[in-house]
Structure formats: C-alpha cells, structure tokens
Amino acid sequence: MTNSNAPSSSANYSKKRKAAQQKGRMSKRREAIKGTSTIAVADVSNKLSEMNVGENIWQSHAPVSSVRYKNCGTTKSLMAHGKKSLKGKAAQEKGMMSKRREATKDTSTIAVADVSNKLSEMNVGENIWQSHASVSSVRYKNCGTTKSVMAGKKSARMMAHDKISAGAMARGEKSIKKSKSYGIVSGVMPVEAEKSPLNGGTFTKEDNSTKPLQNKKNKSAISKLLENFPVENSTCSLAQIRATFYPKFENEKSDQEIRTRMIDMVSKGLATLEVSVKHSGSLFMYAGCEGGAYAKNSFGNIYTAVGVFVLGRTFQEAWGSRASKKQSKFNSYLERKRMCISMELVTAVLGDHGQRPQEDYVVVTAVTKLGKGKPEFYSTPEIICFCRKWRLPTNHFWLFSTRKSVTSFFAAYDALYEEGTATTVCKALDELANLSIPGSKDHIKMQGEILEGLVARVVTRDSSKRMKKVLKYSTPHLPVGVGLDLGPSLREICAANRSDEKQQIKTLLQNVGTSFCPSFVDWFGNGSTDAHSADADESFISKFLQANPSDLSTTKFQDIIRLMREKHIPAAFKCYYNFHKAESMSSDNLHFKMVIHVRNDSAFQRYQKQMRHKPGLWPLYRGKGGLADEDANLMIKLKFLTYKLRTFLIRNGLSILFKEGPDAYKTYYMRQMRKWNTSEAKRGELSTMLEEWACYARRKYGNETLSGPMYLTEVEPFLENYAKRSRKNRALIGSAGNLVKAEDFLAIVDSGENEVGEVETANPSVVKDSVGKGEGLIVFFPGIPGCGKSALCKEILCSTGKLWDGLPVHSLMGDLTKGNYWKKVAEERNRNPSSVMLADKNAPTVEVWRRIEGICSSTKAFAVPVVPDCEGTDTNPYSLDALAVFILRVLLRSNHPGSLDKACPTAGYVLLKFYHFYDGQDRKVFEAELIECFGSIVKMPLLKPNRSPLPESVTSILEEGIDLFRLHSIKHRRLDSSKGTYAQQWAKWEKKLRDIIYINAEYLNSVQVPIDCAVKQVLKQLGTLAKGDYSRPRPITAKRKAGSIIFAAVNIPVTELQGLLHKLAEKNSEFDAFLKDKNVDRTLKQAHLTLAHKQNHGVTAVASYASVLHQNVPVEMTALFFSDRWAAMEAHPGSVDGEEVKSKNMWPHITLWTAKGAAAKESSTLPQLFFKGRATLIEIDPPVTVVGTIEFH
C-alpha cells in the first residue's frame, strides 16, 4: 500500500514568523489553490479514463471474475504551527482555527491529484465469465483518504469522491443503488473514523495492517481482511474478464425456425453456414499460467488439472525438445495480449460420455481477445491461423455458401439422425459442403464412431474466401515429439494415485513442468489457507456492488450481477482469494476470483429478454461480429440418436431405473423419444432394447445404482452383444466394442464437482387426441397451499353424476393421509382401476409428476393437472399477485388439518418453500412440460384480468421474503426457518408479512375470481374431457421429422392418375381386361415417382433434393407397363425454376399396382420383363403431363 502524504499548508512555517507575514502569504496561497483545484479535477478524470478495462469470462456453463478492492492513500494530517501539542496550546489553536480550515482546503485539493496517481497504479484484476460459471478478477481499493481534525470541512477523501462522482456524472454514469433487500449477506456496517492524534505537527502513521500478506498468516487472518474491509465513499473496484466461450446452445425459437432463418440468410447471400464436429468431452478454458485454467463451472480442481496436463502434453508432442521454450512463450503471449483459448477436453479419466476415447486430447474451439470491454471472438480462419502458429489441434469444419448446399446439409442430418456415426456423417458432409477443412484430430481415430453431434452457426458471407486464403498461406506442421519419452501418461498418473485426489492433481501439475505450470496456487493456495475457501462468498458480493466502479467494464459487470440477483436468475456467486496477487494484498488492497455458476439453462433466455428492455446491458455471452445482433448468435446443436441413446436414455435414466423401477424408467425414455420426435419404428426398436437393458441391469445390480461416471463399463458389452444379433441391431446401436477400461485410471471426482449430464429441452410435441370414456383418471394439482384444491375436490365430489356418468370418484387428502401419499394413490388405483382419483395434495416437482406418470402407466389411467391460471414471472409460473392471494387464504384459515393456518408461526416460510419448488421456469415452460407429460391441462381462474397493480408494500415484503429464503437455503438448505442463523429475521418477517397482508386484505379479495366461478370453469373443462370431446392443443410450430427420411420423391395426384388409366383402358381392350379385377380406384391411394433412396443411392443423393423441397414439378407420362404381378407408369420429371430434376433410378416410374406377395420395388424390372415377353407395353402418345410435388419420405 502506498499512502498519499498530503503536505500541511502550515507545517512549513516557522513558529517565530510574524502573524502579518503569515496572513499575507496565506492569502496568496488561497489564490494559487483555486487554480490547482481545477487542474486536480481534470487529472482525476484523465487518470480514470486511462485505467485498464476489467475482464470477465462468459461461457455456456460458468463465468469467473477476479476482483480487487483497495483503500488508497489513507493519510492523517494535522495542520499545526510547528510541533506544539494541540492539547497544550488550546488557546493558540483556537486563534488559528480559521487558518487551518483554509489550509485544509488546500490539502484536500492536492490529495485529489494524489488519488489519481494511486488509481493509475492499480493492477487490473481478473475475471472469467461463462455460460454456466464465470470467473472474474476483482480489486477493491479505498482511494485518497485524508482525515483532518478540523470540523465543518470535508476531508480530502470526501473531496476526492465528490470530484470523482462529478466526473462520472459528467460522463453520464449512474450512481450505485444500494439494495435494501437481503442479498448474499447483510449490508456492510459503516466504519467509524479514527480519532486524530493529539500531538501537533504533520506526520504519517505507520499501520502494520497495510503490509503485504505473508505466507505465515493463517486462514482466519486472511479471511478477516475482507471481513474488516470498510466500503467507504472512496472505495474503488476493478473487474476484468479472464476467459470466455460461445453462448449456450439454447434458443427461444424452435429448431425449425432457426433452420429456416439460416437457409434464408445463405440463400440471400447474407451469410455462410459453418458446421463443426461436436467432440464429446468437457469444456476447458486457458488464459495463461497466471490468468488461470477453468472448467465448465469451476476452477482449481481435478478437471482443470487434467486440462492443463493434456494441453501441456500437446505442446510436448507438437514441439519436441523446443516445447519448454514454446510453453513459456505461449503463457507470456496470453498474459500480454490478454487472451483465452477454449477447448473441448476429451479424456477417459473424467467420466463417461457417449464413448470412451482411445486417446486423451484437446481440440481448440474458440480463441478470445479480452482487451478492454466486451470479449472479441476470433473467426474460424483466425482460429486456424492461431492454432497452426502454436501447433494446437483444430476441429473439422465445413462451409455451406449456397442454398442448394445448406438445404442439402439439413436434409442429410435428418436422414442420418437416427443411425449416423462419425464415418457416415463426415463422408456425407464432405460430399455436400462447398468447402471442407479436416481437423488435426481425427474423431474416428481419437474418440471413435459414436459422434455426439454437429454445431451449425451462421458466419459472415466472406468466410469461404478468407478460409481459402488461410489454408493457402498457413500450413500445418507435423508433430515432432510423438516418439520422445515424455514421461508417464495421464492415465498412468491417475492410476498410480487412485487413493488421493490432491496427490493426483499435484502429480499431474508436476509432470506438466514449471515452464507451463510454474505455480500450483490455484489448486492449493499459498500454503496458509484453503485455496477454495468460501469465506469470501457472503460479504464479497455486497461490498463489490457498493464500491465505486473504476471503469466502464466494472460498471457493466456490476449491472449484470445486480440484474441476476434482482430477477432471481438461478446462479451461485463463488468467490476465492487470488493467490497470484498474495504479495500485494493488504488490508486496503484485496484481490479475488469470482465464479458465477448459472444453475439453469433457462437463465440465458431470461437474461436475453432483459437485454431487450435494457439495451445498454452487457450480454452473458458475445456472438460473432459482422452480423446483425438478431443473427449474431444464430446457432443450433444437432445431436445424433446413437449418442443420445447412451447418454440421455441410459446414463441419465439410471437413477430412475434403480430408484423408481422399470415402469417409471420406461415412461421416462418413451417421453424423451416423443420429445425428439423419433420415428415410430425406431421408438419400437429402442423400447425393445431398453427393456432388455433394464432387466439386465436390475438383475445384475439389484437395488444398487450403477455408477454414472463409469456406466459404459456395463453398457458397452451389453450393446456389443445386442448388436451382434442382427444387422438392424447394429444400425440401432451405431457402434460398440473396443471398450477402453477406465476402472484403473478414472480420476477421483467429487460428486459435487462432477459435471452434470446435459438435459435437453424441447417444445412440446402434442398431437390432437381425444380422451375416451370409462378410462381411469387421476386429477392432481401442481399448485401451492391456498390455491383452492380442497375446495375444488369437494365440489367435484358433489358433481360426480354430472361429470362421469356414475363412474366412482375417490378423493385422497394429503393432510389426512399417513405414510407415502403417492403409494396410497397407486394402491387405490389398483383396487379401483375404472375410477376417478382426486389427488388432493400439491404436486410441485418433476419427480412427483414422474411418479404420477408411472402410476398411470401401471394402472392404465391418464392424469389431468389442474393449475391456477396466472401470468407468472420470468423465473416462476406463479406471479407475486398469486402468491399474495395464496398467503391471504392460508392466514384466514382456522383448524386446518395440516396445521397450515393463521396459528402456524412459519406459514409464510412454508408458502415460500412451495413457491420455490417452481423456481427457474416461467409459465410457458411450466405449462409446456405438463402438456408434454400428460397431454392436457385444466386451468382454474384465479385473478381478474383488469385488476389494479399489487400494492408496493405487498410486493416489497414478498421480495424481501424471497431474498431471505434464498439466503436461508444457501446456508441451511431445508432447515426450518425457526432454526439457524436467520431465525430472528424470519420471525420479524413473518410478523411484518401478516400485518401487511391483513392491511391489504380488501384489495387481495377484490382481485380474485370468486371461488364458485372458478370451480364452475374447472368443472366445465373436466366435463368436456370426461365426454371424450377434449382435444389437446396443437404446437405453434410443427416439429421436423428427424431421422425418418428414407427417400426423395415426386408425389403425384392420385385422381389424375386414375383418370389417365381409365382413358387408356377405353382405348386398349387388353389393359381394360387387366383392370377389371384389380379395383385400382380403391387400392391406389397414393402414388409417387422415386428420385433417390437412402439405401440404394446414399444419403447425399437424397439430401441433394432439399433445395427444391415442396416445389411443384411437371411430370411427363410416356408409357404404361403391366404384367401379372405389377403395373407401373414410365415418367420423367421436368424442371423447377430452371433447375432440371432427375431421378437417380435407372428407370423412372410410378408403381400403380402389385399382386399379393409381390414387392413394390420389383416393379422396376418391368422393362426387362417386356423384352423377355413377360410384360405388356402401351405407349402414351402424345405424353400426358401432370404436376407433382417434391417431398421427403
């Protein structure tokens, strides 16, 4: 810490000077100070503008930020005459009070200039932000604190802050708003200023607390630095991005809408479509040895240690004996240029994905220049150029720059979706793309045939030209270190240290070498404290948000955090001490790294919505340059069923299979396949295979759950044996065998650290369907206490004769049922399968819904969710208005069977707990999920549409409760609110809640739809359903039929064909006799002219017709062939918009009729049969033309 020594304006005067001389000189100095003040303010503004912009990393899964606080230049000055004691010279002091006040003005001004110097010397912190966990480096600094005993005047610290604030206002920056609600921690208490010493003269007091931290300091000492850090008006903070990645692959639009937009942009010459291989591994980001290594949602653990080792080994293999020098230069380059590289880390030691790789490797997927402000991503040509310079692995890319090629690509994916492997997919794309750039790591050799998917995104239209230029002038280098002895491999190191995770990490880092990893502090700290101490979490965020942002980047970063907390976006803010800056840390100079872990993918969509309302808000991620904002992030991830079979259907279903049983597991995987719109034939094949897998796994493991990270140990041999039975099975599995055994070298991964398997969301695929009479029915309530379910159940019981024609109705009230409620429901359903069960219990979670699905499956019933109808919020399907009404209803209860009434001291907490069960999804997602699971939904009216807004006092108390609930949950999880750290706050809040709800009871009653009207509406909907007239809602956008493309053809209107056949029969008696017993008018229901077939002509041949899909084309009929087994029409398609449409078949024809047992495809042999005299030919002269439509089948 450097103290700002503000010179005393009176200390340089001799005690013996005459009062007249002193007075005259003081007057001159006052005039001089006026000019200095102006210069100092300008200097502060200039210094602030010169500060480095902070950094921050954003990723589809986790951001990190390094933050620094610093109190700058705390100098205590006493303006005295000579060295006389203030206490002993009270009389003189009194006489000179006015002079000292004037002197203080002078000193304050000089201090401002000194503050500017200290600000310019601040080191920039570090910060990473990802889609799910961002890390940021943040620095706190208290600037220019000059305290004087002269009352009535501002200190230099206050003057400096005023001037800084004035400068900020001049630049249009907003002041920091202090939140009154509960945050991660309670607010910071103000620090009382120290009293000045009573001795006279000018001096600087040495404060031992400002010395740099020594390694000997223990955990409590380093933790107390933040705890005791005062946030004052002069406190400044800087935040820097340290790593970043592309956005999470979640889009508000449907896949089909995104495809259509991509095709449209390419067709108009506005963009090029870029497609790359999605390697199946873990996200790894590297920003240099000091900038840090980061995983998907964490840092400083086994994931990052493995990533550093594999990247270091990559340098060794590429550069050989020169590797150490290149590693050092690479680290220096990243630090100097402030860059980050993002990679896919593919390894067998961190748990199973779709297939265990043969080798451990990384592939560079993004390069980011962090600089000042928002991150700037390299284009793909720049990435390839960068990687070839440093000999880093690149991915396989394809560019599609024409309408024909881009439409063919999507058609090829659809055709390969259900059975595609790395070989077939890469071969098809090589044939279809306008430009193919092979990767330096061959997916087939390094990972295997099971391909996770493809990533398609739009890039600038000149990408092809730039790519060709890079490929021409930048050539790849062959690795020169492959044959050298590089030491033990990753798998050998993990195998040798199986019993100790820390030892695994340490050994990995040691084997990387000091050239690439000179310090282990990100994993083990500095030896004095835990590297990942959570002590900083609670107080850091509040202090960071209260501190003055030192530049635009920090301001924007604070805005992001405030918005995420204000809108309750599900994220955890994890803070760690930045031990790379340990030597410069002191009581007024603190450095941290922050990991912002976004817990739910829906957070990105909700954040995007907020950006539309706040254009100045920085995004959680940044897209590519050169395109309009709407299209900059236009991406789509296209996965293959052979991968999803292993990960989603088997791995992610293990807990359901072993905890809930085979029936629940079947419900799960059938629902997943419906979401993916898997073809009916493939659903049947997969269902048969998965049923056999479930029996095999349960028989072998009983009730012991199979380990997810090593699930392929059991699954791969099972799939291999299953695939050997038939060709169809082999196509279903995709590839099996050659299992890499990972049991001996799997890295030790904490259950809390293990990266969660991806969870796909999809728009509900709902088809029109009616509910038949006489089936079993379960009516259940995904609601909150007070939603009116018990009142509704009573009314239904009284109306059974009107609703279900005497069908028995049973109600089971949760508050009166002992034991496992849903087990009791299942037992009742088994006893009375043809009955209606009213499940009078709140069913708020997906786990409960899954249980209900299982009951329906096992008892042949269907379920109907009844939900209170309201708008919801961005993060919850229930609005605060609805929550307030529910609370009022609960507080008006007496003698409730479940004791949740006005006598319950924690009633507010209980309702908040239910409210948070739905956290993370808006009303649209909530209803779509229910419809997807159960096919229908019944809405109970709750709030009047034209009501006045919720009173501010009600909104405020509910938001305060929500914040307190989050704080309580983080610290105590499910502990009752009457216990724990926040018990007193809960008690005060409960009392305040009751007071406010009772005061606003008249309003809350007035905005409700009367309960009798709501019941009538629900009964009406249930009655409609019971009569079988209920139709499920249709989806807004029809989903594509992925995986069901087998051939391309021209669909021919049947009526025109039949008319032509009758005309030919009138002219040809032989053909007329042939038709008499064929009843073609009844049997010919559809007709098509095959253009290409996937099995006969290949995927690319079928996909090539995508550019003319749904277009009308003239078809010329030239001849009719028939025999005792087939009848077919020779036909020739014409052109579409000048493009000739040709059939890949040797003889283009339309099959009209087949005898019993004859295969339709064999009708192509009719010309040969004619020449053998076994078929008849009728020429059509002149030819007849009909118009057909080109479609995929």
Side-chain angles (χ1 to χ4, degrees):
M1 166 186 169
T2 304
N3 287 335
S4 241
N5 294 321
S8 168
S9 62
S10 57
N12 296 327
Y13 292 97
S14 171
K15 293 187 289 183
K16 299 179 181 180
R17 301 263 178 150
K18 293 182 181 180
Q21 292 176 327
Q22 182 173 334
K23 183 176 181 180
R25 293 181 181 182
M26 186 67 74
S27 175
K28 293 179 181 180
R29 286 175 180 167
R30 291 194 192 101
E31 295 299 323
I33 292 300
K34 292 180 180 178
T36 308
S37 300
T38 305
I39 297 171
V41 172
D43 189 25
V44 170
S45 175
N46 291 335
K47 296 298 180 183
L48 286 173
S49 66
E50 292 169 8
M51 282 205 252
N52 289 334
V53 180
E55 308 159 73
N56 191 349
I57 69 173
W58 278 278
Q59 202 209 118
S60 337
H61 289 262
V64 184
S65 114
S66 177
V67 188
R68 177 176 179 182
Y69 288 145
K70 188 162 184 178
N71 293 334
C72 302
T74 307
T75 304
K76 302 172 186 175
S77 295
L78 181 63
M79 310 310 158
H81 223 24
K83 296 183 179 180
K84 290 184 179 181
S85 168
L86 191 63
K87 182 176 180 182
K89 302 296 180 181
Q92 294 181 14
E93 183 67 25
K94 182 177 181 181
M96 298 187 65
M97 184 68 74
S98 61
K99 297 177 182 179
R100 287 176 177 167
R101 292 194 185 107
E102 297 299 328
T104 302
K105 294 181 180 179
D106 303 350
T107 307
S108 300
T109 307
I110 299 170
V112 172
D114 188 60
V115 169
S116 71
N117 293 331
K118 298 306 173 189
L119 285 173
S120 67
E121 294 168 7
M122 285 196 286
N123 291 329
V124 183
E126 308 125 49
N127 185 359
I128 60 173
W129 206 303
Q130 313 178 84
S131 296
H132 275 259
S134 73
V135 182
S136 103
S137 180
V138 187
R139 169 181 174 181
Y140 283 160
K141 186 169 182 177
N142 281 343
C143 308
T145 307
T146 303
K147 301 179 183 178
S148 174
V149 295
M150 304 305 167
K153 296 293 180 182
K154 291 184 178 179
S155 67
R157 171 175 56 80
M158 295 299 293
M159 294 283 288
H161 173 64
D162 290 347
K163 297 187 181 202
I164 292 173
S165 299
M169 291 177 67
R171 293 189 301 273
E173 296 178 9
K174 296 182 179 180
S175 61
I176 299 175
K177 181 180 178 181
K178 306 290 180 68
S179 175
K180 294 182 180 180
S181 62
Y182 292 94
I184 297 299
V185 294
S186 55
V188 180
M189 297 297 293
V191 179
E192 182 180 352
E194 291 186 51
K195 296 182 179 179
S196 298
L198 298 180
N199 59 312
T202 303
F203 71 99
T204 299
K205 179 181 177 181
E206 181 179 357
D207 186 351
N208 291 331
S209 66
T210 64
K211 293 181 178 179
L213 285 175
Q214 303 298 324
N215 285 348
K216 65 181 181 180
K217 293 209 171 188
N218 59 24
K219 180 176 180 178
S220 61
I222 193 172
S223 301
K224 285 183 178 179
L225 285 177
L226 179 61
E227 180 182 342
N228 297 329
F229 187 93
V231 179
E232 302 174 343
N233 291 330
S234 60
T235 304
C236 304
S237 62
L238 284 127
Q240 285 189 324
I241 302 168
R242 287 307 290 140
T244 186
F245 191 61
Y246 295 129
K248 175 69 178 173
F249 299 102
E250 299 293 336
N251 300 284
E252 292 184 7
K253 297 179 180 179
S254 68
D255 283 3
Q256 191 59 51
E257 289 174 307
I258 295 171
R259 288 181 178 209
T260 302
R261 178 58 181 159
M262 286 177 165
I263 293 171
D264 185 56
M265 292 180 67
V266 174
S267 301
K268 293 178 179 178
L270 301 175
T272 297
L273 186 73
E274 177 188 284
V275 178
S276 59
V277 169
K278 176 66 178 75
H279 291 259
S280 186
S282 306
L283 178 62
F284 173 64
M285 295 174 295
Y286 188 72
C289 57
E290 188 170 329
Y294 308 98
K296 184 175 182 178
N297 50 21
S298 58
F299 96 112
N301 56 14
I302 188 65
Y303 287 98
T304 55
V306 170
V308 169
F309 179 89
V310 175
L311 181 58
R313 184 57 56 90
T314 301
F315 270 92
Q316 293 173 332
E317 293 173 351
W319 293 96
S321 59
R322 301 164 60 193
S324 295
K325 185 180 293 185
K326 288 296 180 181
Q327 288 172 337
S328 298
K329 286 186 176 181
F330 184 67
N331 277 331
S332 299
Y333 183 84
L334 294 182
E335 296 286 352
R336 186 174 68 255
K337 297 289 187 179
R338 200 171 299 156
M339 297 176 66
C340 166
I341 58 170
S342 300
M343 294 155 277
E344 193 75 17
L345 172 61
V346 184
T347 172
V349 307
L350 294 177
D352 291 337
H353 292 271
Q355 186 176 28
R356 285 182 191 162
Q358 301 297 314
E359 303 290 339
D360 304 308
Y361 66 98
V362 292
V363 171
V364 176
T365 52
V367 177
T368 318
K369 186 176 181 180
L370 303 168
K372 299 181 178 180
K374 296 180 182 178
E376 294 181 6
F377 287 92
Y378 275 23
S379 66
T380 301
E382 291 170 330
I383 291 175
I384 292 177
C385 192
F386 175 90
C387 289
R388 289 185 174 180
K389 173 184 176 181
W390 294 102
R391 300 186 183 178
L392 294 172
T394 56
N395 204 352
H396 196 155
F397 295 97
W398 295 271
L399 294 179
F400 301 86
S401 54
T402 64
R403 175 179 174 81
K404 183 174 181 63
S405 65
V406 72
T407 53
S408 298
F409 159 69
F410 284 119
Y413 167 73
D414 288 344
L416 290 167
Y417 164 69
E418 292 185 344
E419 298 176 355
T421 60
T423 297
T424 56
V425 171
C426 293
K427 180 178 182 295
L429 268 60
D430 284 341
E431 294 175 6
L432 294 173
N434 300 108
L435 182 62
S436 175
I437 308 96
S440 53
K441 295 292 184 182
D442 189 325
H443 189 287
I444 300 169
K445 294 179 181 178
M446 301 297 290
Q447 186 161 40
E449 283 287 359
I450 300 302
L451 179 61
E452 177 176 342
L454 303 168
V455 176
R457 64 175 185 171
V458 291
V459 294
T460 55
R461 62 181 180 180
D462 63 341
S463 291
S464 296
K465 186 184 299 183
R466 295 170 62 197
M467 184 70 78
K468 291 177 182 177
K469 187 175 181 181
V470 167
L471 297 177
K472 181 178 180 181
Y473 295 105
S474 176
T475 57
H477 296 272
L478 294 175
V480 295
V482 174
L484 300 178
D485 182 8
L486 303 177
S489 68
L490 170 65
R491 303 183 187 189
E492 289 171 343
I493 292 173
C494 290
N497 298 277
R498 285 280 296 152
S499 59
D500 190 339
E501 178 186 0
K502 289 187 177 181
Q503 188 60 39
Q504 273 188 343
I505 294 174
K506 185 177 180 181
T507 308
L508 286 170
L509 299 177
Q510 287 173 339
N511 278 272
V512 171
T514 56
S515 298
F516 198 60
C517 186
S519 172
F520 301 172
V521 293
D522 279 345
W523 290 270
F524 301 105
N526 62 353
S528 63
T529 184
D530 181 9
H532 295 166
S533 170
D535 294 348
D537 285 10
E538 296 191 349
S539 59
F540 172 80
I541 296 296
S542 294
K543 292 188 178 186
F544 173 63
L545 294 180
Q546 294 175 47
N548 294 297
S550 297
D551 57 15
L552 179 63
S553 293
T554 307
T555 301
K556 294 297 185 181
F557 186 41
Q558 288 177 334
D559 291 343
I560 289 170
I561 295 178
R562 285 196 187 95
L563 184 133
M564 294 178 73
R565 298 174 76 196
E566 176 188 342
K567 298 300 181 182
H568 307 299
I569 292 177
F573 299 88
K574 306 173 184 177
C575 306
Y576 310 95
Y577 300 106
N578 187 353
F579 289 103
H580 289 287
K581 307 289 185 181
E583 293 301 318
S584 61
M585 268 199 260
S586 62
S587 62
D588 69 344
N589 188 359
L590 305 181
H591 298 262
F592 295 89
K593 288 190 177 183
M594 180 197 301
V595 178
I596 302 179
H597 179 194
V598 178
R599 298 185 182 278
N600 192 301
D601 292 344
S602 64
F604 298 97
Q605 292 184 8
R606 299 208 304 273
Y607 191 91
Q608 281 180 295
K609 290 180 181 178
Q610 293 300 319
M611 289 179 64
R612 286 196 283 269
H613 301 298
K614 300 178 181 179
L617 190 66
W618 273 13
L620 281 179
Y621 50 78
R622 179 174 167 81
K624 299 297 293 177
L627 296 170
D629 290 342
E630 181 183 354
D631 302 314
N633 296 313
L634 207 57
M635 286 187 185
I636 187 171
K637 185 185 290 185
L638 305 166
K639 293 191 177 183
F640 292 97
L641 188 60
T642 50
Y643 169 83
K644 294 199 285 189
L645 158 65
R646 290 159 167 80
T647 53
F648 292 104
L649 300 186
I650 296 180
R651 183 191 64 187
N652 293 2
L654 288 175
S655 61
I656 301 172
L657 173 60
F658 286 98
K659 292 179 181 179
E660 302 179 33
D663 288 341
Y665 177 55
K666 183 173 183 178
T667 300
Y668 163 75
Y669 64 68
M670 292 301 292
R671 183 174 71 244
Q672 287 294 97
M673 287 190 283
R674 287 197 301 271
K675 281 185 178 182
W676 303 332
N677 206 26
T678 308
S679 65
E680 186 175 352
K682 193 63 65 175
R683 283 205 306 266
E685 293 175 23
L686 284 172
S687 180
T688 301
M689 189 273 290
L690 290 170
E691 284 179 5
E692 187 171 327
W693 155 250
C695 293
Y696 169 83
R698 288 293 294 264
R699 184 170 59 250
K700 184 169 183 177
Y701 284 88
N703 293 324
E704 295 182 10
T705 304
L706 177 63
S707 171
M710 297 177 62
Y711 82 103
L712 285 176
T713 299
E714 288 296 341
V715 172
E716 198 71 24
F718 170 82
L719 294 179
E720 183 178 9
N721 291 329
Y722 193 85
K724 290 177 179 178
R725 300 179 193 173
S726 68
R727 181 178 177 181
K728 181 184 289 186
N729 285 2
R730 286 196 295 275
L732 179 71
I733 301 303
S735 175
N738 300 321
L739 176 66
V740 176
K741 295 184 178 180
E743 291 79 0
D744 296 331
F745 55 74
L746 189 70
I748 301 171
V749 180
D750 218 13
S751 59
E753 291 180 352
N754 192 20
E755 295 187 359
V756 180
E758 298 174 71
V759 177
E760 284 199 349
T761 57
N763 294 329
S765 176
V766 187
V767 296
K768 186 175 181 181
D769 192 14
S770 60
V771 179
K773 298 180 181 180
E775 297 182 71
L777 175 68
I778 300 174
V779 179
F780 70 101
F781 303 88
I784 294 174
C787 66
K789 63 183 182 305
S790 296
L792 177 62
C793 287
K794 291 179 182 178
E795 292 296 328
I796 292 177
L797 287 172
C798 297
S799 307
T800 55
K802 302 176 183 178
L803 284 175
W804 287 288
D805 298 327
L807 202 65
V809 179
H810 305 276
S811 179
L812 197 61
M813 190 174 187
D815 295 318
L816 298 177
T817 304
K818 295 182 180 181
N820 188 314
Y821 177 82
W822 296 106
K823 184 178 180 181
K824 301 281 187 183
V825 171
E827 292 173 353
E828 183 63 32
R829 284 285 311 131
N830 284 321
R831 282 194 296 268
N832 300 284
S834 297
S835 65
V836 178
M837 167 57 67
L838 305 178
D840 187 2
K841 182 179 178 66
N842 287 301
T845 64
V846 175
E847 288 73 18
V848 175
W849 302 352
R850 193 177 292 150
R851 186 72 183 271
I852 296 170
E853 281 186 302
I855 295 172
C856 291
S857 177
S858 61
T859 64
K860 296 182 179 180
F862 60 90
V864 180
V866 178
V867 298
D869 192 14
C870 64
E871 301 89 347
T873 69
D874 289 340
T875 62
N876 200 293
Y878 291 105
S879 63
L880 291 182
D881 306 58
L883 179 60
V885 168
F886 297 156
I887 292 174
L888 174 66
R889 291 177 178 177
V890 169
L891 294 180
L892 293 178
R893 291 174 179 172
S894 297
N895 301 319
H896 185 259
S899 300
L900 184 59
D901 51 31
K902 62 183 180 182
C904 177
T906 59
Y909 167 78
V910 173
L911 268 81
L912 286 178
K913 182 168 68 173
F914 274 90
Y915 184 76
H916 278 80
F917 280 138
Y918 302 95
D919 208 24
Q921 55 183 335
D922 58 17
R923 170 60 63 153
K924 181 180 179 181
V925 173
F926 170 68
E927 292 185 357
E929 182 67 20
L930 285 171
I931 293 173
E932 181 65 43
C933 292
F934 303 103
S936 60
I937 189 172
V938 171
K939 298 182 180 182
M940 181 192 303
L942 177 65
L943 301 170
K944 295 178 180 178
N946 298 322
R947 62 188 183 279
S948 56
L950 191 67
E952 180 62 31
S953 60
V954 179
T955 301
S956 178
I957 190 65
L958 292 179
E959 289 179 344
E960 183 179 343
I962 290 171
D963 288 340
L964 181 56
F965 182 89
R966 293 181 185 278
L967 185 63
H968 176 88
S969 299
I970 291 172
K971 192 169 186 67
H972 300 298
R973 295 185 178 273
R974 297 183 179 181
L975 186 68
D976 189 82
S977 63
S978 60
K979 303 174 184 177
T981 308
Y982 308 101
Q984 292 184 359
Q985 288 97 318
W986 274 117
K988 292 178 181 178
W989 180 81
E990 291 279 2
K991 183 180 183 303
K992 188 177 178 182
L993 173 71
R994 282 165 167 75
D995 293 341
I996 292 176
I997 291 294
Y998 288 143
I999 290 172
N1000 292 278
E1002 183 178 352
Y1003 164 83
L1004 294 174
N1005 282 320
S1006 67
V1007 298
Q1008 298 181 46
V1009 173
I1011 189 67
D1012 56 338
C1013 295
V1015 169
K1016 288 180 181 178
Q1017 288 293 324
V1018 173
L1019 292 176
K1020 182 179 180 181
Q1021 294 175 66
L1022 289 174
T1024 303
L1025 187 149
K1027 294 176 182 178
D1029 297 330
Y1030 182 82
S1031 295
R1032 303 177 189 178
R1034 288 180 176 274
I1036 297 174
T1037 303
K1039 293 179 65 177
R1040 59 181 174 82
K1041 294 183 177 180
S1044 57
I1045 295 179
I1046 300 174
F1047 62 92
V1050 180
N1051 288 354
I1052 306 297
V1054 173
T1055 53
E1056 294 191 35
L1057 271 182
Q1058 290 173 338
L1060 176 60
L1061 292 177
H1062 287 300
K1063 289 181 180 179
L1064 291 174
E1066 291 175 0
K1067 297 179 180 179
N1068 189 297
S1069 58
E1070 186 178 359
F1071 182 60
D1072 183 53
F1074 173 82
L1075 286 180
K1076 281 185 178 179
D1077 60 344
K1078 302 299 185 293
N1079 199 8
V1080 175
D1081 289 344
R1082 184 177 60 83
T1083 58
L1084 187 60
K1085 295 182 178 179
Q1086 57 183 6
H1088 63 264
L1089 167 62
T1090 301
L1091 298 174
H1093 195 285
K1094 184 167 65 174
Q1095 186 174 357
N1096 298 331
H1097 308 105
V1099 170
T1100 55
V1102 176
S1104 65
Y1105 295 97
S1107 60
V1108 290
L1109 197 64
H1110 311 312
Q1111 299 294 311
N1112 291 333
V1113 60
V1115 178
E1116 192 176 67
M1117 312 291 181
T1118 57
L1120 172 69
F1121 289 82
F1122 62 93
S1123 70
D1124 59 342
R1125 294 177 63 80
W1126 301 280
M1129 190 85 70
E1130 184 179 85
H1132 302 278
S1135 301
V1136 176
D1137 296 331
E1139 180 181 351
E1140 187 177 2
V1141 179
K1142 292 183 178 180
S1143 173
K1144 305 294 182 183
N1145 278 332
M1146 293 291 292
W1147 180 56
H1149 65 282
I1150 303 168
T1151 301
L1152 304 172
W1153 172 83
T1154 60
K1156 187 176 181 180
K1161 64 179 181 179
E1162 298 298 330
S1163 62
S1164 60
T1165 61
L1166 281 170
Q1168 289 94 330
L1169 293 176
F1170 168 72
F1171 288 112
K1172 293 178 180 180
R1174 294 164 56 187
T1176 303
L1177 165 65
I1178 300 177
E1179 297 283 354
I1180 302 175
D1181 188 22
V1184 175
T1185 300
V1186 299
V1187 176
T1189 307
I1190 301 172
E1191 302 291 348
F1192 285 142
H1193 295 264

